[in-house]
Amino acid sequence: MSAIRTGAGWPAGDAGPPTHSTFEVGRSRHGQVALEADELAEEVPVALEYNGISHAVMLASPADLEDFALGFSLSEGLVAGPRDVYEIDTEAGCDGITVRLRIAAEAFALFKERRRAMTGRTGCGLCGTESLQEVMRVPAPVASSASFGGAALYAAFAQLQTRQELLRHTGSTHAAAWLRADGQVGLVREDVGRHNALDKLIGALARGGEDRARGAVLVTSRASYEMVLKTASAGVGLLAAVSGPTALAVRLAQQTGVTLAGFVRAGRHVVYTHPQRLQDRTEQA
């Protein structure tokens, strides 16, 4: 990923827009109301431009936007791989943030063919999609050698809880995390939108050169169709969620070879597809 040049459009010495802000609120406890300070997650319009053409406007947390832009481009099939993305630049404006990507000529030609107007909203992954064929695309089956026991999965989610900094401040964000083959959580990305958090993680994986064939994606949300689609598109063989999946997500996971686990709690989980990557040797149920 050294070919990608990234640059932030913030003033020198500025870390960028804040991810959360403080408000005065009236907090009621047992009928007593007190004025207190509360921290709320920021969500801002993020416009994605490809070679000067505006493609999508998403509402997202204003952090890790280079990861988000790359991950979105990969998971949506707008580019075939990270080598197709030459530059990513971000610029803050009065109305939001613009992320400009410069992509390879071949990728740009394909991009123009399938260009569509999209407006993303918090928690929505399919807004603006024009055809059923675009929604129901099926990635190639994953080739993954990932293997984890249940205990490793529970420990990983415990690790994830300690690393959700934005959630600790606001209580209103999702996270997507990368579980390495050694059982350690290597990357965590947060956002007000679960799809955005996963796109940020996918972008970070691509930029960091992680071995996606041996790890797993953890998400603090339900496992919807779009979450499985993005996981499979990234070539990851195991998706584990704290909530349940949809029926469509299970069917897609079955088709693409993704091991899908839901309702992951300390000491228990449910495996819906391809259980060979998630074998709990301590229980012989």
Side-chain angles (χ1 to χ4, degrees), residues 165-248:
E165 181 178 355
L166 188 54
L167 180 69
R168 284 199 299 274
H169 282 291
T170 68
S172 60
T173 56
H174 289 292
W178 178 243
L179 175 58
R180 292 182 173 138
D182 62 3
Q184 296 301 306
V185 173
L187 294 166
V188 177
R189 293 293 183 267
E190 293 182 273
D191 201 276
V192 290
R194 56 196 172 89
H195 306 100
N196 298 341
L198 183 50
D199 277 333
K200 288 179 178 181
L201 178 67
I202 290 170
L205 290 173
R207 294 175 65 180
E210 292 279 348
D211 185 358
R212 284 170 282 176
R214 300 184 61 222
V217 167
L218 314 178
V219 295
T220 61
S221 64
R222 68 182 185 277
S224 62
Y225 169 86
E226 306 90 47
M227 304 296 273
V228 174
L229 177 63
K230 292 177 183 294
T231 300
S233 297
V236 177
L238 173 56
L239 172 63
V242 297
S243 297
T246 65
L248 189 59

Side-chain angles (χ1 to χ4, degrees), residues 6-278:
T6 62
W10 328 126
D14 192 341
T19 58
H20 53 93
S21 297
T22 303
F23 288 77
E24 186 178 73
V25 300
R27 195 179 305 277
S28 178
R29 298 186 181 90
H30 307 293
Q32 300 296 315
V33 178
L35 293 179
E36 298 181 3
D38 197 14
E39 293 183 276
L40 305 182
E42 291 285 356
E43 57 177 344
V44 301
V46 177
L48 300 178
E49 291 186 1
Y50 293 83
N51 292 9
I53 295 179
S54 180
H55 175 66
V57 179
M58 313 293 287
L59 289 177
S61 299
D64 302 306
L65 293 182
E66 291 86 0
D67 289 340
F68 173 58
L70 178 58
F72 177 87
S73 302
L74 292 168
S75 66
E76 292 293 316
L78 300 177
V79 297
R83 291 184 179 180
D84 287 337
V85 181
Y86 296 153
E87 295 179 7
I88 304 175
D89 290 297
T90 57
E91 180 180 354
C94 296
D95 298 324
I97 300 171
T98 300
V99 183
R100 297 184 175 92
L101 298 91
R102 185 166 69 87
I103 62 177
E106 182 178 353
F108 187 52
L110 294 174
F111 162 82
K112 288 191 291 185
E113 287 181 8
R114 66 186 298 259
R115 181 186 169 207
R116 62 185 184 270
M118 293 174 60
T119 301
R121 301 166 189 256
T122 302
C124 181
L126 300 173
C127 297
T129 303
E130 291 182 343
S131 71
L132 291 176
Q133 288 78 11
E134 288 183 43
V135 174
M136 302 305 295
R137 60 189 175 95
V138 178
V142 299
S144 170
S145 59
S147 179
F148 297 95
L153 198 63
Y154 312 143
F157 270 96
Q159 289 181 54
L160 174 55
Q161 287 183 343
T162 68
R163 295 180 57 178
Q164 292 176 249
E165 181 178 355
L166 188 54
L167 180 69
R168 284 199 299 274
H169 282 291
T170 68
S172 60
T173 56
H174 289 292
W178 178 243
L179 175 58
R180 292 182 173 138
D182 62 3
Q184 296 301 306
V185 173
L187 294 166
V188 177
R189 293 293 183 267
E190 293 182 273
D191 201 276
V192 290
R194 56 196 172 89
H195 306 100
N196 298 341
L198 183 50
D199 277 333
K200 288 179 178 181
L201 178 67
I202 290 170
L205 290 173
R207 294 175 65 180
E210 292 279 348
D211 185 358
R212 284 170 282 176
R214 300 184 61 222
V217 167
L218 314 178
V219 295
T220 61
S221 64
R222 68 182 185 277
S224 62
Y225 169 86
E226 306 90 47
M227 304 296 273
V228 174
L229 177 63
K230 292 177 183 294
T231 300
S233 297
V236 177
L238 173 56
L239 172 63
V242 297
S243 297
T246 65
L248 189 59
V250 171
R251 295 187 189 104
L252 181 63
Q254 188 66 47
Q255 285 181 276
T256 55
V258 171
T259 300
L260 180 57
F263 297 109
V264 181
R265 305 287 189 274
R268 60 189 176 91
H269 64 271
V270 179
V271 181
Y272 295 88
T273 59
H274 303 286
Q276 71 275 9
R277 296 192 189 91
L278 194 52

